[in-house]
Amino acid sequence: MKSKKVLTLVESAVLLGLAFALSFVKIIQMPWGGSVTLLSMLPLAVISIRHGLKWGLSAAFLFSALDFFESLGRVMVWGLTPTVFAGMVFLDYALAYTVIGLAGLFRRKGFEGQCLGVVFAVTLRFVCHFISGIVLWGEYAAYYEWAQDSVPLYSLLYNGAYMFPEIIFTTIGAVILLKVPYIQKLFTQA
């Protein structure tokens, strides 16, 4: 029993490291935060699918901390108020990334459930960023003539510009990964 926990811990650490490394491969970088990465959410989803919500949520939370501390230097020069900074830490990092750990929510329902879990988790991440865009970053809508009267529209388009491709790429990656027979066998063994 102890060796299974150690194996799960090591596997989760490797996948967490892979997720963090992939987060540096940015396909699209947005000006005020957010990016489309090379499937950086997929390893976190895999942890949750293979080992359950406890492991998935823990690894995703650790990822949020790693990503926050990695980007802290860029964030500190924005001149944020303490309230906005605290809201950003909670909504844009801790909550937004931790929900990726929910990818394993439907893991026992086979391929379809696993794919649904990935879509659900990454979509929840978008919802966190969307709410943050309204509550914390709505003032930036004033910079765009088309968004001055609609902060939710600004948040939808800004966050959607990177999150919709991230959702699509992560889902495609999950479908391909979960369709490989050898890998499918690994998921059923966990």
Side-chain angles (χ1 to χ4, degrees), residues 4 16-17 20 58 63-64 77 86 90 115 117 135 147 152 171 174-175 181 185:
K4 182 172 174 22
L16 176 60
F20 191 61
S58 300
F63 179 87
S64 75
V77 299
F90 177 70
C115 290
V135 175
T171 303
V175 168
K185 189 187 306 181

Side-chain angles (χ1 to χ4, degrees), residues 6 19 23 26-27 51 59-60 65-66 69 90 98 119 143 172 179:
V6 171
S23 73
K26 296 179 183 348
I27 299 166
H51 302 294
L66 289 171
F69 287 117
F90 177 70
T98 301
V119 172
Y143 292 112
I172 291 170
K179 275 293 188 185

Side-chain angles (χ1 to χ4, degrees), residues 75-152:
V75 170
M76 292 305 287
V77 299
W78 292 350
L80 305 175
T81 66
T83 304
V84 172
F85 183 79
M88 178 200 65
V89 170
F90 177 70
L91 281 172
D92 285 327
Y93 288 94
L95 188 60
Y97 288 111
T98 301
V99 297
I100 300 299
L102 295 173
L105 197 60
F106 311 111
R107 69 190 186 124
R108 302 223 189 272
K109 302 214 183 292
F111 171 76
E112 292 81 12
Q114 293 165 354
C115 290
L116 176 65
V118 171
V119 172
F120 176 72
V122 182
T123 301
L124 276 180
R125 178 179 165 213
F126 165 72
V127 169
C128 292
H129 291 303
F130 175 72
I131 292 169
S132 172
I134 293 170
V135 175
L136 302 174
W137 311 111
E139 67 188 64
Y140 290 101
Y143 292 112
Y144 302 100
E145 186 177 318
W146 53 267
Q148 289 176 353
D149 297 329
S150 180
V151 172

